[in-house]
Amino acid sequence: MYGTGEWRGLNAHREELDGVHLRDLFVADPIRGERLIAETDGLLLDYSKNRLTDETVELLGALADRAGLRARIEAMLDGEPVNTTEDRPAWHPALRRPDPPPEVRAELGRMAAFAGEARSGRWDAVVNIGIGGSDLGPAMATAALKAYGNTELDVRFLSNVDGAHFREVTRGLDPARTLFIVVSKTFTTTETLANAITARDWIAHAVGVEQASSHFAAVTASPNKAQGFGIHDDVVFTMWDWVGGRYSLASAVGLSFMTAVGPDAFAAMLAGMHHIDEHFRSAPWTENLPALLGLIGIWNRNFWGWPTYAVLPYAQELALFPAYIQQLDMESNGKSVQTDGTPASTATGPVVWGQPGTNGQHAFHQLLHQGTDIVPVEFIGFCRPNHSHTEHHDLLMANLFAQAEALAFGASDADDPHRQFPGNRPSTVLLGDQLTPRSLGQLVALYEHKVFTQAIVWGINPFDQWGVELGKTLATGIAAELAGTADPSPARDSSTQSLINRYVMKR
Ligand code: F6P
């Protein structure tokens, strides 16, 4: 899009906004905060505290049109091979349609039966073994909807190959009453296989080798490999190759989450996702929440030049949401080559970070308010809590509103320069009615499509992740050396080699 009239128009428009303070924009338009919003299905997006005007939104819409966003949305939702480097669809929206493809419907039925049985008292604990997209989604969602979960069943998540994680996740569990779900699309991921083998030994030690396999289920696109590991056919669930790992929460990858909250809550999450899918397909850009969020992100990233943004949920239950969005956004859009193989001509995916409010206020908000870098913030909050401590909730939300206000408007009446708040720092607020299975589904789909919107404008493929491969290959070679089954590589640099030597000497 770089070099087009639309891009140049936005650049010129941004120059006009240089030096314009958010205070000026709100004074000039007293109902700006009531106008620059969009809403769907109870979810409100207030983007008025960004450094933009109606004209900006219009120009960004024209940029989206120029990029062909509408047609690309249709292609993605209709299952066309939009993942061009791997020549396959990225058809996660099919997983949450009310009329899903037959194989999806069948798998949902198998999942519900499995989850129902797992919740019926046979097990005390279910441990999901997976990493990246095979962990972050179900872990995030299970934590988010604890209030909807089965209190009798302890659902835990094991991801890191660090043995300390295995030790902590299994701490206090009775192996005889623990079920493991091994989740790996490829069933080749080193971390997941190492944890699965250790889990199998742990179970076998307690109940005997013959019984061990009855403590395992699997979710994978490579069922033969799961069977090779000794997992029974009838508890191997399918993940299709047309679902990307970080887009897979609505597939069988969400099995541990479904086990925690039950099939009805899972279905409600799917309905929330589907609502956003259809909204993304049909709403005009000025009312389209995912498109607006994505286009404002582009405005901040490319035209103001801010390289990072923070996701700050004012909901402790969404503590893992920033980490989930980090994978979704950074693994999707951390690319410097366009779909046609040419170098990206503009900056692409920003650095995403964050943690729940109010904790962050006592940690990094100092930099947000007075640091030399501007960090756009996406606040997430809800009108009603999932607990009865309503006075806590008022305090929590008062802080969210105050932070957005302070960032935007600052305070310039202090004589002491150390106490000046420049303001003019952009933020967006997502305000939902309540954190429920449906609204969680809305949020997940909203961010998926935000990331998609940006990828289309940047001309990159958000659905591959070749950038993770080199590290995996090198680690495999080094692991073989550490295990004594391979010689040191003569081509290796002196730094890496001496670190390895020192490790081997001291371990
Ligand atoms: O880190 C790369 C990655 O391929 C992610 O995209 C994926 O979610 C994760 O590893 C786990 O992969 P798998 O489900 O195949 O074990």
Side-chain angles (χ1 to χ4, degrees):
M1 285 299 99
Y2 184 74
T4 60
E6 287 79 2
W7 194 274
R8 284 199 309 274
L10 275 157
N11 247 335
H13 171 65
R14 204 273 304 152
E15 280 169 24
E16 284 163 21
L17 286 176
D18 261 342
V20 176
H21 200 285
L22 278 167
R23 279 194 292 263
D24 307 327
L25 295 173
F26 272 82
V27 168
D29 175 5
I31 58 161
R32 178 181 166 92
E34 291 157 44
R35 283 194 321 100
L36 298 188
I37 58 166
E39 184 176 357
T40 187
D41 199 23
L43 182 63
L44 178 85
L45 174 82
D46 174 351
Y47 60 94
S48 64
K49 294 193 192 78
N50 283 280
R51 278 155 69 168
L52 49 73
T53 64
D54 295 272
E55 189 185 348
T56 320
V57 178
E58 220 170 276
L59 293 171
L60 286 168
L63 184 70
D65 287 335
R66 177 68 185 244
L69 179 60
R70 193 65 76 186
R72 302 312 299 152
I73 293 173
E74 291 287 340
M76 191 249 303
L77 293 178
D78 293 347
E80 287 177 30
V82 291
N83 178 357
T84 45
T85 51
E86 295 173 316
D87 192 25
R88 60 192 185 203
W91 207 22
H92 40 286
L95 300 168
R96 51 247 197 166
R97 283 195 342 212
D99 59 332
E103 68 268 34
V104 172
R105 188 187 292 281
E107 212 57 10
L108 278 168
R110 291 183 68 218
M111 286 166 67
F114 177 89
E117 207 175 310
R119 288 160 65 79
S120 66
R122 163 75 183 85
W123 309 105
D124 293 339
V126 171
V127 179
N128 185 95
I129 302 180
I131 197 164
S134 296
D135 164 71
L136 287 162
M140 178 279 291
T142 301
L145 297 177
K146 262 247 144 49
Y148 297 79
N150 179 342
T151 46
E152 302 297 306
L153 191 66
D154 193 352
V155 180
R156 302 187 183 188
F157 292 85
L158 174 60
S159 51
N160 201 331
V161 73
D162 188 339
H165 203 199
F166 184 86
R167 183 192 67 207
E168 292 312 314
V169 169
T170 53
R171 187 186 288 279
L173 297 185
D174 174 1
R177 309 254 321 144
T178 300
L179 170 72
F180 288 93
I181 305 177
V182 185
V183 184
S184 178
K185 183 173 177 180
T186 54
F187 228 82
T188 58
T189 303
T190 323
E191 293 93 327
T192 300
L193 293 184
N195 277 323
I197 290 167
T198 304
R200 193 173 56 188
D201 292 347
W202 183 73
I203 295 279
H205 186 71
V207 303
V209 177
E210 302 78 41
Q211 283 302 313
S213 66
S214 64
H215 289 243
F216 283 83
V219 179
T220 184
S222 297
N224 295 344
K225 294 201 178 87
Q227 286 145 12
F229 185 82
I231 301 179
H232 294 305
D233 260 9
D234 53 349
V235 286
V236 174
F237 294 86
T238 305
M239 188 193 171
W240 297 275
D241 71 350
W242 44 264
V243 180
R246 55 192 173 275
Y247 297 89
S248 66
L249 174 59
S251 74
V253 169
L255 185 58
S256 53
F257 165 60
M258 185 196 269
T259 304
V261 298
D264 291 347
F266 195 86
M269 177 191 75
L270 299 184
M273 290 172 153
H274 178 68
H275 175 88
I276 296 291
D277 294 341
E278 288 307 309
H279 167 82
F280 187 43
R281 185 200 295 271
S282 58
W285 302 138
T286 50
E287 293 164 29
N288 193 313
L289 272 73
L292 279 169
L293 203 56
L295 292 169
I296 293 167
I298 283 179
W299 174 241
N300 289 339
R301 176 79 177 105
N302 295 117
F303 297 96
W304 290 106
W306 300 319
T308 132
Y309 78 97
V311 178
L312 308 182
Y314 275 60
Q316 185 59 32
E317 296 151 302
L318 286 181
L320 299 180
F321 196 70
Y324 175 76
I325 297 302
Q326 216 167 38
Q327 188 204 15
L328 180 64
D329 199 329
M330 295 172 77
E331 204 174 63
S332 295
N333 283 347
K335 314 275 166 72
S336 28
V337 175
Q338 301 183 91
T339 43
D340 63 4
T342 60
S345 43
T346 62
T348 62
V351 174
V352 190
W353 56 283
Q355 60 161 284
T358 61
N359 295 17
Q361 290 175 210
H362 303 275
F364 53 79
H365 280 226
Q366 165 64 39
L367 184 147
L368 299 185
H369 290 287
Q370 290 186 320
T372 49
D373 279 301
I374 293 212
V375 180
V377 174
E378 290 173 8
F379 291 103
I380 301 171
F382 300 92
C383 299
R384 292 190 298 277
N386 281 324
H387 55 74
S388 55
H389 308 287
T390 48
E391 66 292 352
H392 281 256
H393 196 64
D394 287 346
L395 272 175
L396 176 74
M397 293 304 290
N399 275 280
L400 184 162
F401 301 134
Q403 287 297 315
E405 190 181 5
L407 286 168
F409 305 113
S412 53
D413 50 357
D415 294 335
D416 180 352
H418 297 103
R419 292 167 195 253
Q420 299 271 355
F421 292 86
N424 212 17
R425 293 170 183 238
S427 71
T428 301
V429 176
L430 281 161
L431 186 60
D433 291 343
Q434 188 170 352
L435 181 55
T436 61
R438 184 177 179 96
S439 64
L440 183 72
Q442 292 171 346
L443 279 178
V444 168
L446 172 69
Y447 273 90
E448 285 173 354
H449 300 329
K450 170 200 177 178
V451 166
F452 182 76
T453 296
Q454 298 187 331
I456 296 308
V457 173
W458 288 326
I460 58 179
N461 176 10
F463 298 119
D464 62 13
Q465 58 284 322
W466 300 107
V468 302
E469 294 304 324
L470 177 59
K472 286 185 192 173
T473 308
L474 293 177
T476 304
I478 295 173
E481 272 177 47
L482 297 182
T485 56
D487 293 331
S489 156
R492 183 168 294 133
D493 71 275
S494 61
S495 163
T496 310
Q497 193 57 55
S498 46
L499 288 167
I500 294 171
N501 294 347
R502 186 180 170 91
Y503 171 77
V504 169
M505 208 168 66
K506 290 190 171 234
R507 70 178 166 180

